[in-house]
């Protein structure tokens, strides 16, 4: 509790200092759009949203400078523009300004062994203080989910615009603690103790109230799915300022891939950062189980893991996954591709007959849409975005499979392997058609429509 009290004191002191500073100098923010995105090299869907959002703002307001607040020391304007193009196929109209952040350690989970959620949230305020004292934009875009920075940005005179991928806390999270379910965000020691579970419920309840308070400070909130919207509206309670804007999925290039593909051997692909919540281990176990249940006349499939590593912990997680493949005696059928280029990713997707996704309550699931657009039948977790928005029937035709447990994933893998080529292509075609609902162009249109009233000056 001492840690929590200390963090709260720091938070209060920073807000008080901000008030004193602003009342003293009364400066006007710089006419610019600033994107608070501390990790610009994570390679995930959040980074794609960042670059597509920058591009959309550049088109809507051509004369408005765009700046990116990042903790990546090697980031440069030309380097970020090149990365946006190479990794995500997004061509910026001009390179963004870069505002380097030196205090990023204050938002890293490793900095807070206990009370991680509130620690990172209050740490983000400290990081935002560094960002806004170095450069104060007229429009403050948060594309990484740091809602606790919104009151500070408003104190600096910014218009606060949020693109929220997922709620930092949700009723589902509180429910799992009440049910004493052990997951990556609920330690087994806590799940096994009634007293510790009650303490955590109280902690989550208080945090949820604070989260709702700071989130309501946003002038505009964009959310990426029906699941996220329901939680954000419930907690932030600003439905009139909350818009659902599906994230940009690169369907244009992927939809050019032929549906016909080699099945010697049949390839299953898994694209995700090597983070704990992505549950790569579940996919590996399900794949191994499917191999033991495989019909003798069916060819043995191959599994390709493709993803990026943000830090040392991710690298260690990747190595453990490789070691587990050896333990299961399937390492000859499993490949690992780390930090590959977008061009190479497209090539791998074009050779896969199905794609695996196993994250519980994935807010949206861009990778599931990418599987569908590429012609790889999705086998996704039966929850949140994939279940509510993505893997739905299209024109009366099934577009993929949903699963929760290892056995269900294994069953889906075998079903795909047993399909005739015609059956597989028919499902892949329906899946590809469904993916068109989540294109980059759709994101551009919906994002532009949402931010237009704030970004464009009012006509006299």
């Amino acid at each position: 509790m001492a840690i929590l009290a200390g963090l709260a004191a720091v938070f209060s002191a920073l807000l008080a200092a901000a008030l004193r500073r602003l009342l003293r100098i009364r400066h006007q923010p710089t006419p610019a759009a600033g994107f608070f995105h501390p990790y610009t090299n994570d390679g995930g869907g959040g980074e794609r949203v960042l670059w597509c959002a920058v591009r959309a703002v550049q088109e809507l307001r051509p004369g408005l400078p765009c700046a990116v607040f990042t903790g990546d020391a090697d980031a440069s304007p030309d380097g970020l523009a090149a990365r946006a193009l190479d990794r995500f196929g997004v061509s910026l109209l001009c390179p963004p300004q870069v505002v380097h952040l030196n205090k990023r350690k204050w938002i890293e989970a490793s900095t807070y062994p206990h009370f991680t959620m509130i620690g990172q949230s209050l740490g983000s305020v400290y990081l935002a203080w560094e960002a806004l004292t170095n450069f104060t934009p007229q429009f403050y875009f948060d594309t990484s989910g740091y809602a606790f920075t919104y009151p500070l940005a408003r104190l600096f005179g910014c218009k606060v615009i949020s693109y929220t991928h997922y709620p930092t806390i949700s009723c589902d999270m509180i429910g799992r603690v009440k049910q004493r379910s052990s997951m990556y965000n609920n330690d087994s020691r806590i799940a096994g103790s009634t007293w510790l579970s009650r303490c955590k419920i109280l902690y989550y309840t208080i945090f949820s109230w604070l989260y709702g308070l700071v989130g309501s400070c946003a002038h505009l909130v964009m959310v990426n799915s029906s699941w996220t919207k329901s939680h954000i509206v419930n907690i932030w309670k600003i439905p009139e300022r909350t818009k659902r804007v599906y994230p940009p999925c690169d369907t244009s290039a992927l939809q050019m891939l032929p549906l016909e593909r080699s099945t010697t051997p049949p390839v299953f692909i898994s694209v995700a950062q090597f983070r704990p919540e992505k549950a790569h281990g579940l996919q590996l176990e399900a794949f191994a189980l499917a191999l033991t249940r495989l019909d003798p006349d069916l060819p043995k499939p191959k599994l390709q893991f493709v993803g990026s590593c943000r830090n040392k912990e991710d690298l260690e997680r990747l190595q453990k996954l490789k070691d587990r493949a050896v333990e299961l005696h399937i390492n000859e059928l499993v490949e690992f591709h780390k930090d590959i280029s977008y061009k190479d990713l497209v090539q791998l997707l074009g050779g896969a007959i199905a794609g695996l996704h196993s994250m519980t309550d994935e807010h949206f699931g861009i990778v599931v849409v990418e599987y569908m657009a590429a012609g790889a039948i999705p086998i996704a977790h039966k929850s949140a975005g994939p279940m509510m928005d993505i893997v739905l029937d299209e024109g009366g035709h099934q577009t993929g499979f949903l699963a929760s447990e290892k056995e269900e994933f294994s069953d889906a893998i075998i079903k795909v392997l047993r399909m005739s080529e015609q059956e597989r292509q028919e499902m892949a075609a329906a899946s590809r058609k469904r993916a068109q609902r989540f294109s980059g162009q759709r994101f551009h249109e919906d994002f532009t429509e949402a931010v237009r009233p704030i970004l464009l000056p009012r006509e006299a």
Side-chain angles (χ1 to χ4, degrees):
M1 293 302 292
I3 296 175
L4 185 60
L7 289 171
V10 171
F11 179 66
S12 299
L14 284 173
L15 286 181
L19 274 172
R20 289 194 298 269
R21 177 183 185 274
L22 292 171
L23 289 174
R24 183 173 68 251
I25 62 177
R26 293 180 180 276
H27 74 290
Q28 291 296 319
T30 302
F35 293 81
F36 189 72
H37 202 98
Y39 297 92
T40 51
N41 63 351
D42 61 10
E47 189 183 346
R48 180 187 296 279
V49 166
L50 168 65
W51 301 126
C52 289
V54 171
R55 168 74 189 222
V57 171
Q58 288 179 338
E59 289 192 10
L60 184 62
R61 288 280 302 271
L64 186 72
C66 289
V68 176
F69 298 103
T70 176
D72 298 316
D74 59 346
S76 65
D78 290 337
L80 291 182
R83 179 179 175 82
L85 182 60
D86 180 56
R87 278 295 183 94
F88 302 104
V90 178
S91 178
L92 302 181
L93 298 185
C94 63
Q97 299 176 23
V98 175
V99 181
H100 288 285
L101 305 176
N102 299 313
K103 306 292 193 298
R104 192 172 67 180
K105 70 175 183 179
W106 294 107
I107 62 169
E108 294 177 358
S110 59
T111 304
Y112 310 96
H114 306 288
F115 299 105
T116 306
M117 193 162 56
I118 189 66
Q120 288 181 290
S121 296
L122 297 181
S124 71
V125 180
Y126 187 38
L127 190 63
W129 171 264
E130 179 192 10
L132 294 170
T133 52
N134 286 330
F135 181 73
T136 308
Q138 182 181 3
F139 306 104
Y140 174 87
F141 284 82
D142 167 41
T143 48
S144 294
Y146 294 106
F148 277 69
T149 67
Y150 302 170
L152 184 66
R154 290 196 68 152
L155 286 171
F156 272 81
C158 306
K159 291 288 187 179
V160 178
I161 302 171
S162 164
Y163 189 91
T164 301
H165 299 271
Y166 57 92
T168 303
I169 191 167
S170 67
C171 298
D172 293 344
M173 292 171 62
I174 298 174
R176 290 193 193 101
V177 179
K178 289 181 178 179
Q179 296 168 7
R180 296 169 64 179
S181 301
S182 178
M183 286 189 68
Y184 63 88
N185 62 348
N186 193 38
D187 187 85
S188 58
R189 183 172 61 91
I190 295 176
S193 169
T194 301
W195 184 81
L196 290 177
S197 292
R198 287 176 179 173
C199 289
K200 189 164 186 176
I201 290 170
L202 177 61
Y203 165 49
Y204 272 12
T205 302
I206 295 173
F207 183 87
S208 181
W209 177 80
L210 289 172
Y211 185 58
L213 189 65
V214 297
S216 65
C217 291
H219 292 90
L220 170 66
V221 179
M222 289 171 282
V223 295
N224 67 345
S225 69
S226 300
W227 182 85
T228 302
K229 184 176 182 180
S230 66
H231 284 288
I232 289 298
V233 168
N234 181 55
I235 299 173
W236 291 4
K237 303 186 187 307
I238 48 172
E240 71 283 356
R241 285 178 267 157
T242 305
K243 313 291 182 183
R244 188 184 64 185
V245 177
Y246 287 128
C249 305
D250 191 7
T251 59
S252 56
L254 296 175
Q255 289 197 14
M256 299 300 292
L257 296 169
L259 293 179
E260 303 83 5
R261 50 202 59 181
S262 172
T263 55
T264 53
V267 175
F268 289 74
I269 194 169
S270 170
V271 182
Q273 294 173 311
F274 292 103
R275 292 157 47 182
E277 62 268 29
K278 297 301 182 180
H280 289 92
L282 173 60
Q283 299 175 13
L284 197 63
E285 299 284 346
F287 183 72
L289 178 60
L291 289 173
T292 65
R293 301 165 59 190
L294 200 62
D295 298 340
D297 58 327
L298 292 177
K300 286 188 176 181
K302 180 182 292 186
L303 175 58
Q304 297 174 334
F305 285 105
V306 183
S308 59
C309 292
R310 304 162 299 170
N311 47 40
K312 179 182 176 182
E313 288 74 20
D314 285 356
L315 288 170
E316 292 174 350
R317 197 169 292 112
L318 172 58
Q319 185 57 51
K320 288 180 180 179
L321 202 61
K322 293 178 180 180
D323 294 340
R324 184 56 179 156
V326 174
E327 293 172 2
L328 293 169
H329 306 291
I330 60 173
N331 52 299
E332 292 184 357
L333 298 174
V334 181
E335 297 178 356
F336 297 90
H337 302 266
K338 182 176 77 72
D339 298 330
I340 66 173
S341 69
Y342 178 72
K343 179 180 178 181
D344 291 338
L345 172 61
V346 171
Q347 184 176 358
L348 290 176
L349 285 169
I353 64 169
L356 300 180
H357 164 276
S358 54
M359 178 178 170
T360 302
D361 286 343
E362 174 85 84
H363 33 93
F364 178 71
I366 286 180
V367 71
V368 179
V369 177
E370 291 178 335
Y371 292 156
M372 297 165 78
I377 294 173
I379 303 175
H381 196 277
K382 191 177 181 180
S383 63
M387 181 179 70
M388 296 174 68
D389 290 314
I390 304 175
V391 189
L392 303 177
D393 286 357
E394 182 67 31
H397 298 284
Q398 184 178 353
T399 60
F401 299 91
L402 294 169
S404 301
E405 306 298 331
K406 176 176 69 174
E407 291 75 16
E408 293 176 321
F409 278 97
S410 176
D411 288 342
I413 290 172
I414 292 175
K415 285 179 181 178
V416 172
L417 290 172
R418 287 175 176 169
M419 285 182 178
S420 67
E421 181 61 14
Q422 181 179 350
E423 290 173 332
R424 186 193 65 77
Q425 286 195 33
E426 287 177 354
M427 184 176 289
S431 185
R432 173 171 284 179
K433 185 177 180 181
R434 177 77 189 168
Q436 294 175 358
R437 298 171 181 264
F438 314 106
S439 66
Q441 182 61 33
R442 174 71 177 271
F443 170 85
H444 184 88
E445 293 170 358
D446 292 349
F447 181 93
T448 301
E449 181 181 353
V451 302
R452 186 188 304 274
I454 297 178
L455 258 65
L456 289 182
R458 294 179 180 177
E459 296 181 0

